[in-house]
Amino acid sequence: MTMTLADQAAMTGQDGRVTDEQPARPKRRTFTKAYKARILAAFDALPEGSPERGALLRKERLYHSHIVHWRKQAESGTLPATSGRPHKSAESEELARLRAENKKLKADTAKLESRNEKLAGELGKTKTALDIAGKAFALLQDISSSADSDTN
């Protein structure tokens, strides 16, 4: 294994000797609920698509994924309300239930529309097959009647 000067410097003890100790890993940042709520409120107060939103994220050293995750937490009720007035838990539960129901209904609608298109295609094929069968039956009747008239 090759060691860089940075690796050697990190492993050097106070007395100048190289040690076997690895430098401590950086700790993951943690955010309080109040901080998350404050940042969400500040982010949502800015116009959508504005450069100020990006500036806020850079200033706080955050990613957009933080905002998305925290917004989901706020919607599920694990974060305090982002506005000045607290939401009633019954209202937030009802809102979450209605959003989930709405999402389910949209998914069901998409499935039913897809099934409807498939059945419409099958109906078209069936109509074409019946039309062909009807024409074949008419042709066979015509041949049969002409054969009957030839034998008489």
Side-chain angles (χ1 to χ4, degrees):
M1 169 171 111
T2 1
M3 290 186 109
T4 64
L5 290 175
D7 292 334
Q8 289 176 355
M11 293 176 56
T12 304
Q14 293 288 14
D15 55 3
R17 292 185 304 178
V18 176
T19 63
D20 290 334
E21 295 177 22
Q22 291 290 332
R25 281 190 78 153
K27 298 288 183 197
R28 185 179 293 246
R29 291 191 300 170
T30 57
F31 306 101
T32 64
K33 289 181 180 182
Y35 176 81
K36 292 176 185 181
R38 183 174 54 82
I39 295 298
L40 274 176
F43 188 83
D44 290 339
L46 297 171
E48 191 169 331
S50 70
E52 290 86 11
R53 282 185 162 189
L56 173 68
L57 293 177
R58 283 190 300 277
K59 183 181 107 188
E60 298 292 332
R61 294 181 14 233
L62 298 172
Y63 295 99
H64 188 264
S65 60
H66 285 111
I67 300 296
V68 171
H69 181 69
W70 295 347
R71 192 169 282 135
K72 285 180 184 175
Q73 285 180 334
E75 289 172 0
S76 70
T78 58
L79 277 182
T82 55
S83 65
R85 59 179 181 85
H87 286 262
K88 295 178 183 172
S89 63
E91 286 179 359
S92 62
E93 288 176 12
E94 179 73 8
L95 181 61
R97 186 187 65 76
L98 290 173
R99 283 184 176 158
E101 184 179 346
N102 191 16
K103 187 176 181 179
K104 182 181 180 293
L105 289 173
K106 284 181 180 179
D108 290 347
T109 301
K111 286 179 187 176
L112 289 173
E113 286 175 351
S114 172
R115 177 130 171 89
N116 190 22
E117 289 175 11
K118 180 181 174 187
L119 290 174
E122 290 178 10
L123 178 64
K125 290 177 187 176
T126 303
K127 284 183 178 180
T128 304
L130 285 173
D131 187 42
I132 292 171
K135 289 179 181 178
F137 180 75
L139 180 64
L140 287 174
Q141 272 188 330
D142 189 38
I143 292 172
S144 175
S145 64
S146 68
D148 288 341
S149 63
D150 286 344
T151 57
N152 289 337

